[in-house]
Amino acid sequence: MTTPALLPLSGRRIPTLSPGASSFPHHRATLRLSEKFILLLILSAFITLCFGAFFFLPDNSKHKRFDLGLEDVLIPHIDSPKEGKHASGQVVIHGQGGHDEHRHREEEESLRDKIRADHERALQEAKEKLRKSREELQAEIQTEKNKVMEDLKKKDAGPKPLPPVPMPKVVGVSDGEPPEPDAKQKRDKIREMMKHAWDSYRQYGWGHNELKPLAKKGHSTNIFGNSQLGATIVDALDTLYIMGLHEEFKDGQEWIEQNLDFGVNAEVSVFEVNIRFIGGLLAAYYLSGQEVFKLKAVQLAEKLLPAFNTPTGIPWAMVNLKSGVGRNWGWASAGSSILAEFGTLHMEFVHLTYLTGNPAYYQKVMHIRKLLAKMDRPNGLYPNYLNPRTGRWGQHHTSVGGLGDSFYEYLLKAWLMSDKTDTEARKTYDDAIEAIERHLIRKSNGGLTFIGEWKNGHLERKMGHLACFAGGMFALGADGSPDDKAGHYLQLGAEIAHTCHESYDRTVLKLGPEAFKFDSGLEAVAVRQNEKYYILRPEVIETYWYMWRFTHDPKYRQWGWEAAQAIDKYCRVSGGFSGVKDVYSSNPTYDDVQQSFFLAETLKYLYLLFSSDDLMPFESWVFNTEAHPLPVLHLGNITLPGSEPAQR
């Protein structure tokens, strides 16, 4: 016989019939009926006892504290002129003579009347129950059970469905097989590397945010808080889909459906969670059409909104997903928010408004843009630090690498994603790039073009691996640049790509360091030990891909293949892929972390580099800063809620 399942309900567990059973066994129904009669009798007796106790209570001042309701003893009346506080902190109302005596008698009489009425009603209900047959009582029980089940179903149904919106035209999301046999062979190798990274995570770190491939266990960092949110699963989904690894994609989807919960007490990075989780979920939705990804993205976005509750509307760097409390990184200049973090929300938030009809997301990011537009910018440059309380710049440090990079990227991509209607974003991008070229971009003595960092009035001749994405950005923004400078910016992108390739080529492992300098006779080489590591970063390969798409110069595929071979040779271990601590050492040590962005970005860009151009075409897709593709919104006459009509 099948045992009834037990379901929780307000701290209790109630029996429900398993599928196929028509009713409870007869002896169980009889037992419940008897129990109900006993409970009714006990209840009636208890009410009678209480009624009698209060009704015949002597009216004596020594019982006054018992007569008063609990609220009269512990809670002060607003209009009471005399209050005192016990050592315990409880406020007590002191007596006020004959007036209070009369009031208490009235309250006693009112209380007696209420008890008498409740007593009569309980007795009447008991009599009615006793008149009913067993079948009628069973029917009542079944009705109550059905109501409980319906309530549970409503509770488990989740959030209300989102309003229907036109699905952007989705093209070129699969295949893309190159006509060249050599390129096809290399692409197949990249897919095999992806499968090794995913299978290792699946086996050793499933559900954890990331993987320790040598220790063969889960790994996480403070950007994800202290919870297992499956960052690698969410980050890798669209790469799996684009590569045609649909069984692996299905495994990830099932985990997200069953386990991804954002109601956890975890303090997370707003920026990282936005680009990896919201970006990854939205991309998975647009690629596959599976509603669960859209719903999860919206659930998470709602958890991030409290981060914007600052005096200026510039969001905190971190927010607790459960409490909504936000704060900034302790190391950031004077408690500031960071340009690359609060400036890298636009793409995802515009799509959230489009999909939900909720203008809040669009309005939050447009508020940031408008605030920045009003601020003075030293030499036309945007410092990396902005205080969310005062609205003032922090330390005057400007970088196209870490702390600043993706702010500029999202200005350009906001324009592209709007079907080139967001001309305000394009103008802001063009002005920023002009200032960057004037103050930050230089040529080394050896002829290498690099992007330095502006610190307190002088240029530091150092470039970070993160800044190497800018070569691709310049190429992507060449078309549409002012003053017929498209050719100039495409050439600038090529020069940055060359410099970043040199940073790889001048190491022992043929993998680029985290940062490299251009002074004291050293060029494109790391000097400090803490800048010699490679953590599976994608930015150089990202630029190779963009330059390949715009020029089809075979050197970009060659450079990408060199990087892929080096990663496979020096970073691959039996449990996945690991970063290395020194790219100049022939015997490198591992950092034992397989970053989620390795699957989201590095391997995706390599795969696209060896695919045909009709896979994820630029006319239809714009990639967020975590390489998650979002469709161009051909809005036409449609206006986003909370926005002004787009101007062409």
Side-chain angles (χ1 to χ4, degrees):
M1 185 178 86
T2 306
T3 306
L6 292 174
L7 297 176
L9 178 67
S10 303
R12 301 183 182 182
R13 296 176 72 83
I14 61 168
T16 62
L17 290 176
S18 57
S22 61
S23 64
F24 288 105
H26 177 73
H27 68 277
R28 292 192 180 183
T30 305
L31 179 62
R32 289 191 181 146
L33 196 58
S34 302
E35 290 174 341
K36 190 152 188 171
F37 290 152
I38 293 169
L39 286 171
L40 284 170
L41 290 172
I42 293 173
L43 178 63
S44 178
F46 178 75
I47 292 173
T48 303
L49 178 63
C50 292
F51 173 75
F54 277 96
F55 190 83
F56 296 106
L57 194 65
D59 186 17
N60 191 305
S61 60
K62 69 180 180 181
H63 296 290
K64 190 168 291 181
R65 287 183 61 86
F66 182 77
D67 290 347
L68 294 174
L70 185 62
E71 66 274 17
D72 293 314
V73 178
L74 300 181
I75 303 175
H77 291 283
I78 294 174
D79 59 352
S80 172
K82 299 179 181 178
E83 296 180 2
K85 211 169 217 183
H86 286 306
S88 66
Q90 293 175 327
V91 181
V92 179
I93 309 303
H94 297 296
Q96 299 180 32
H99 175 72
D100 283 352
E101 231 16 84
H102 178 70
R103 179 170 62 85
H104 291 320
R105 285 200 188 94
E106 289 180 345
E107 288 175 352
E108 287 173 16
E109 189 61 36
S110 175
L111 181 61
R112 291 189 187 107
D113 291 341
K114 184 178 183 303
I115 292 174
R116 187 183 296 110
D118 289 343
H119 176 69
E120 291 294 335
R121 186 168 56 253
L123 287 176
Q124 186 61 33
E125 287 178 0
K127 290 177 183 177
E128 291 175 1
K129 294 289 183 188
L130 290 171
R131 292 193 193 103
K132 291 183 179 180
S133 66
R134 179 187 299 165
E135 288 74 16
E136 289 175 315
L137 287 171
Q138 281 181 321
E140 283 189 7
I141 293 170
Q142 187 63 38
T143 299
E144 187 63 27
K145 186 166 79 74
N146 291 340
K147 183 177 180 300
V148 170
M149 292 299 296
E150 285 300 317
D151 290 343
L152 286 172
K153 285 179 183 177
K154 289 178 183 177
K155 184 179 179 182
D156 294 338
K160 294 179 180 178
L162 297 171
V165 294
M167 184 74 162
K169 188 177 181 182
V170 174
V171 296
V173 300
S174 60
D175 194 21
E177 184 170 312
E180 309 89 350
D182 179 60
K184 181 182 183 305
Q185 186 178 3
K186 289 170 179 174
R187 191 174 87 140
D188 289 344
K189 173 61 181 176
I190 304 302
R191 186 194 285 113
E192 183 277 328
M193 292 169 67
M194 177 67 181
K195 193 156 179 10
H196 176 62
W198 174 265
D199 288 347
S200 298
Y201 170 78
R202 181 75 175 84
Q203 183 173 358
Y204 304 118
W206 192 240
H208 289 265
N209 289 315
E210 292 174 318
L211 170 68
K212 294 178 77 68
L214 273 74
K216 296 183 176 177
K217 63 180 183 180
H219 170 75
S220 192
T221 60
N222 64 340
I223 61 174
F224 303 121
N226 56 2
S227 293
Q228 296 182 24
L229 296 171
T232 295
I233 299 174
V234 179
D235 231 0
L237 275 174
D238 53 9
T239 306
L240 294 170
Y241 193 93
I242 291 168
M243 290 186 178
L245 297 171
H246 295 300
E247 285 301 314
E248 291 80 357
F249 180 89
K250 185 179 177 183
D251 285 346
Q253 178 178 339
E254 288 178 357
W255 186 90
I256 286 170
E257 287 174 336
Q258 297 168 13
N259 300 285
L260 187 55
D261 176 21
F262 301 120
V264 292
N265 184 20
E267 189 180 52
V268 301
S269 162
V270 174
F271 161 74
E272 295 286 356
V273 164
N274 176 62
I275 65 170
R276 300 194 200 203
F277 282 81
I278 293 180
L281 290 165
L282 289 176
Y285 165 66
Y286 284 121
L287 290 170
S288 70
Q290 297 296 314
E291 288 284 318
V292 61
F293 300 126
K294 178 171 67 172
L295 294 173
K296 291 288 185 180
V298 173
Q299 288 173 15
L300 176 56
E302 290 173 353
K303 298 286 187 179
L304 297 187
L305 286 178
F308 292 82
N309 294 336
T310 66
T312 61
I314 297 294
W316 300 113
M318 291 174 288
V319 69
N320 186 297
L321 293 177
K322 186 163 189 159
S323 68
V325 175
R327 70 180 178 95
N328 275 339
W329 302 108
W331 50 263
S333 170
S336 291
S337 299
I338 296 164
L339 181 70
E341 296 194 340
F342 65 77
T344 310
L345 303 166
H346 190 97
M347 290 180 66
E348 298 81 3
F349 275 44
V350 166
H351 271 276
L352 287 166
T353 284
Y354 174 71
L355 292 172
T356 65
N358 182 357
Y361 303 108
Y362 179 84
Q363 290 169 348
K364 299 288 186 193
V365 292
M366 289 306 294
H367 175 78
I368 293 171
R369 184 191 291 182
K370 285 178 169 56
L371 187 146
L372 290 175
K374 295 175 183 176
M375 296 187 65
D376 291 331
R377 294 181 292 283
N379 294 321
L381 298 171
Y382 290 85
N384 290 335
Y385 299 106
L386 180 61
N387 191 301
R389 291 190 177 92
T390 65
R392 295 174 183 159
W393 297 118
Q395 175 189 357
H396 281 192
H397 172 212
T398 298
S399 168
V400 183
L403 306 180
D405 48 9
S406 48
F407 165 70
Y408 307 101
E409 174 188 359
Y410 268 40
L411 291 174
L412 173 62
K413 291 181 175 178
W415 175 68
L416 291 169
M417 197 182 73
S418 71
D419 197 18
K420 301 183 180 179
T421 60
D422 187 354
T423 53
E424 181 183 72
R426 176 76 213 207
K427 176 69 164 59
T428 308
Y429 168 79
D430 289 332
D431 291 347
I433 296 307
E434 184 181 340
I436 286 168
E437 192 169 7
R438 185 182 304 119
H439 297 288
L440 303 185
I441 296 180
R442 296 287 185 272
K443 252 195 177 29
S444 72
N445 293 334
L448 295 177
T449 301
F450 68 94
I451 311 174
E453 298 188 8
W454 190 266
K455 282 190 176 179
N456 298 318
H458 76 278
L459 184 70
E460 186 175 9
R461 297 171 67 86
K462 179 177 80 170
M463 185 171 177
H465 192 291
L466 288 166
C468 284
F469 91 96
M473 178 179 71
F474 293 144
L476 184 62
D479 185 21
S481 55
D483 304 323
D484 297 322
K485 294 176 73 173
H488 167 73
Y489 284 114
L490 192 61
Q491 177 61 29
L492 182 58
E495 291 175 13
I496 297 297
H498 173 67
T499 298
C500 292
H501 174 255
E502 286 298 307
S503 78
Y504 273 54
D505 202 46
R506 298 180 186 192
T507 70
V508 173
L509 303 186
K510 305 302 179 186
L511 293 169
E514 182 69 5
F516 40 96
K517 293 211 169 179
F518 296 87
D519 57 12
S520 305
L522 294 173
E523 297 194 355
V525 175
V527 177
R528 298 178 181 175
Q529 188 61 42
N530 65 357
E531 294 175 341
K532 295 181 178 181
Y533 61 86
Y534 173 70
I535 56 171
L536 306 172
R537 286 204 187 276
E539 290 77 20
V540 174
I541 295 165
E542 175 183 355
T543 278
Y544 293 163
W545 175 55
Y546 279 107
M547 292 308 303
W548 164 257
R549 277 281 176 101
F550 287 111
T551 70
H552 288 112
D553 187 329
K555 71 182 180 186
Y556 296 116
R557 276 187 168 174
Q558 179 58 37
W559 291 351
W561 184 240
E562 289 171 7
Q565 286 179 301
I567 291 169
D568 199 52
K569 182 175 181 180
Y570 296 111
C571 299
R572 185 176 185 138
V573 296
S574 63
F577 289 86
S578 170
V580 292
K581 294 182 179 179
D582 189 346
V583 293
Y584 300 95
S585 170
S586 56
N587 295 304
T589 53
Y590 297 108
D591 66 10
D592 197 19
V593 179
Q594 179 176 285
Q595 306 278 351
S596 80
F597 58 67
F598 177 63
L599 292 83
E601 299 185 76
T602 311
L603 292 174
K604 183 188 286 135
Y605 285 133
L606 280 168
Y607 186 80
L608 291 169
L609 179 62
F610 294 104
S611 299
S612 63
D613 291 1
D614 58 5
L615 180 60
M616 312 306 297
F618 289 157
E619 296 77 20
S620 301
W621 298 95
V622 183
F623 286 71
N624 88 338
T625 198
E626 190 78 357
H628 295 308
L630 298 175
V632 171
L633 291 175
H634 301 281
L635 295 176
N637 295 324
I638 300 173
T639 302
L640 287 173
S643 73
E644 298 174 0
Q647 299 294 321
R648 283 190 178 272

